[in-house]
């Protein structure tokens, strides 16, 4: 690549080795007159942003700079994992700037679930985490639902300033930015990607009226979600891609449900009752007697109990015990995997999840 080490679009250093890292360009493309990285190429020709791997420390220091700028902060959260997709310590990043929250993936919920209820959930989570958003808008970036409302809310709350879009990995930020690009993008010339100074991180900028822009911040990685522990090719099996079909099980105490080879639910004590699983439709749920569970686990992980195909890719399971009060429905949430709704009667349940993956109890969301 003599004399052509930099992308003419964004200035990032070019490389031909790692398609996931910044500056990737396929070998064949080096023959072209003007060389741009694959990311810029896709933006220019398809209005499409492809994600690149980001350096977590650089990402954090970048987020910290938002507080010093006058801007609107837009946080994209995944409605399927609201608290798990939250950016930890977000108040430090926003400073005094207004925070608009976009609750993404509303298409995963059955129509019978009222948006008002989901919104209240987002507000409640925000309150628990000590922030007060100026607005919450629900959307489905994948389906293009409520995009007009998203655009209007951004325009209203930015008050003529720049807009920073932030979110944890997998919340759907890129999908949403792509949608916004198609709405606001105004053709290939208008959109720019550029490396953040002093880092290998890249930013997408969508120009707005008044010389301002929407800036796509790098995704924040949270290690306490199931999705971070699973190979990208197996991620599909646990990421719901359409309306979740709740799966109900009438269980007696002493019965166990396995969620592939990822998690295990034991109904330890209580009267016979229903537990309803909200996970990706394609995830295999296996029901068995708790007394047989250990043996099944040891002998069938990676085969019957999969994903993952390679059990050694996951940390070992640790147990979390919960006592359901029986006076209200409650969700036992495994971050990134989904939740089990119970609580029709008093019960003691044990949830086993890979060490480090967050498990929590909350009032039922549906
Ligand atoms: P990012 O890491 O935040 O940039 O997330 P992506 O945009 O790459 O999306 C992560 C995953 O969520 C992908 O599998 C997307 O297809 C999926 N996704 C994004 N938006 C939606 C949505 O509105 N609904 C559903 N069901 N899936 C979505």
């Amino acid at each position: 690549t003599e004399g052509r080490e930099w992308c003419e679009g964004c200035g990032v250093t070019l490389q031909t080795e790692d398609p996931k890292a910044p500056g990737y360009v396929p070998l064949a493309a080096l023959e072209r007159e003007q060389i741009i990285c694959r990311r810029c190429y896709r933006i220019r020709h398809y209005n499409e942003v492809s994600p690149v791997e980001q350096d977590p420390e650089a990402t954090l220091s970048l987020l910290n700079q938002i507080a010093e700028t006058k801007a609107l902060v837009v946080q994209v959260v995944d409605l399927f994992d609201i608290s798990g997709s939250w950016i930890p310590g977000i108040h430090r990043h926003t400073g005094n700037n207004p925070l608009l929250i976009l609750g993404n993936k509303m298409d995963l919920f059955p129509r019978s679930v009222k948006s008002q209820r989901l919104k209240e959930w987002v507000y409640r989570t925000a309150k628990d985490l000590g922030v007060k958003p100026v607005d919450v808008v629900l959307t489905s970036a994948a389906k293009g639902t409520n995009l007009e409302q998203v655009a209007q809310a951004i325009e209203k709350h930015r008050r003529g300033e720049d807009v920073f879009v932030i979110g944890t990995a997998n919340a759907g930020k890129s999908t949403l930015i792509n949608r916004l690009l198609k709405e606001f993008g105004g053709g290939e010339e208008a959109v720019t990607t550029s490396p953040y100074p002093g880092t290998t991180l890249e930013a997408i900028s969508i120009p707005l009226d008044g010389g301002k822009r929407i800036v796509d911040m790098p995704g924040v990685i949270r290690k306490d979600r199931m999705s971070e522990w699973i190979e990208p090719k197996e991620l599909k099996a646990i990421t719901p891609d359409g309306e979740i079909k709740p799966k109900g099980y009438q269980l007696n105490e002493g019965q166990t449900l396995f969620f592939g080879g990822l998690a295990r639910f034991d109904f330890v004590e209580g009267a016979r009752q229903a537990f309803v699983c909200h996970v990706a439709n394609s995830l295999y749920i296996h029901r068995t007697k708790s007394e047989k569970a250990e043996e099944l686990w040891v002998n069938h992980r990676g085969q019957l109990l999969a994903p993952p195909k390679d059990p050694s890719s996951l940390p070992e399971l640790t147990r979390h015990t919960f006592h359901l009060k029986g006076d209200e429905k409650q969700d036992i949430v495994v971050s990134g995997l989904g939740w089990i709704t119970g609580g029709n009667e008093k019960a003691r349940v044990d949830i086993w999840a890979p060490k480090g993956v967050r498990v929590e109890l909350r009032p039922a969301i549906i």
Side-chain angles (χ1 to χ4, degrees), residues 83 253 259 263-270 273 275 318-326 328-335 338-354 357-363:
S83 53
E253 61 179 29
F259 298 85
R264 164 180 164 185
F265 170 83
D266 297 341
F267 178 19
V268 181
E269 206 180 313
Q273 58 189 289
F275 292 95
T318 52
R319 187 174 66 183
H320 307 253
T321 297
F322 295 103
H323 296 273
L324 307 182
K325 291 172 287 183
E328 62 164 349
K329 287 198 183 173
Q330 289 175 290
D331 294 336
I332 305 143
V333 187
V334 181
S335 194
W339 65 91
I340 302 155
T341 308
N344 293 314
E345 308 267 356
K346 266 190 181 167
R348 182 194 145 187
V349 299
D350 285 348
I351 270 275
W352 300 75
V357 170
R358 211 163 41 88
V359 179
E360 65 176 15
L361 195 64
R362 71 177 180 203

Side-chain angles (χ1 to χ4, degrees), residues 51 76 104-108 139-143 167-176 219 239-242:
V76 182
N104 188 35
K105 309 195 188 182
M106 65 184 293
D107 58 292
L108 297 182
T139 181
S140 163
K143 297 255 147 51
T168 47
N170 243 359
K173 193 164 62 63
S174 311
T175 310
L176 190 74
T239 308
D241 60 353

Side-chain angles (χ1 to χ4, degrees), residues 39 49 54 59 62-63 65-66 69-76 87 102 154 158 161-167 173-174 176-178 180-181 184 190-197 201-208 211-219:
R39 197 157 189 252
V49 182
Q54 311 279 19
T59 300
L62 208 62
L63 287 181
Q65 291 168 23
I66 299 179
T69 322
K70 222 166 170 247
L72 169 68
V73 182
V74 176
Q75 183 185 219
V76 182
I87 293 183
L102 303 180
I154 290 176
R158 78 181 179 93
E161 306 291 346
D162 285 336
V163 179
F164 290 98
V165 185
I166 63 179
K173 193 164 62 63
S174 311
L176 190 74
I177 291 277
N178 283 331
L180 293 174
L181 268 179
F184 297 102
V191 182
T192 56
T193 116
S194 58
Y196 288 103
L201 307 176
E202 291 176 60
I204 300 291
S205 258
I206 306 173
L208 297 168
K212 301 291 175 174
R213 63 224 159 107
I214 295 182
V215 182
D216 176 26
M217 299 296 275

Side-chain angles (χ1 to χ4, degrees), residues 252-314:
N252 294 315
E253 61 179 29
Q255 286 191 303
T256 287
L257 300 176
F258 279 106
F259 298 85
L262 294 164
R264 164 180 164 185
F265 170 83
D266 297 341
F267 178 19
V268 181
E269 206 180 313
R272 178 179 169 82
Q273 58 189 289
F275 292 95
V276 183
C277 306
H278 301 87
V279 295
N281 298 333
S282 55
L283 182 64
Y284 175 59
I285 303 179
H286 185 89
R287 172 183 177 150
T288 185
K289 286 199 173 121
S290 304
E291 61 191 32
K292 289 196 183 147
E294 186 58 34
E295 195 193 328
L296 194 79
W297 177 252
V298 171
N299 293 329
H300 296 283
R301 279 185 84 187
Q303 290 133 43
L304 176 69
L305 304 180
K309 280 223 165 65
D310 172 15
S312 68
S313 63
L314 274 192

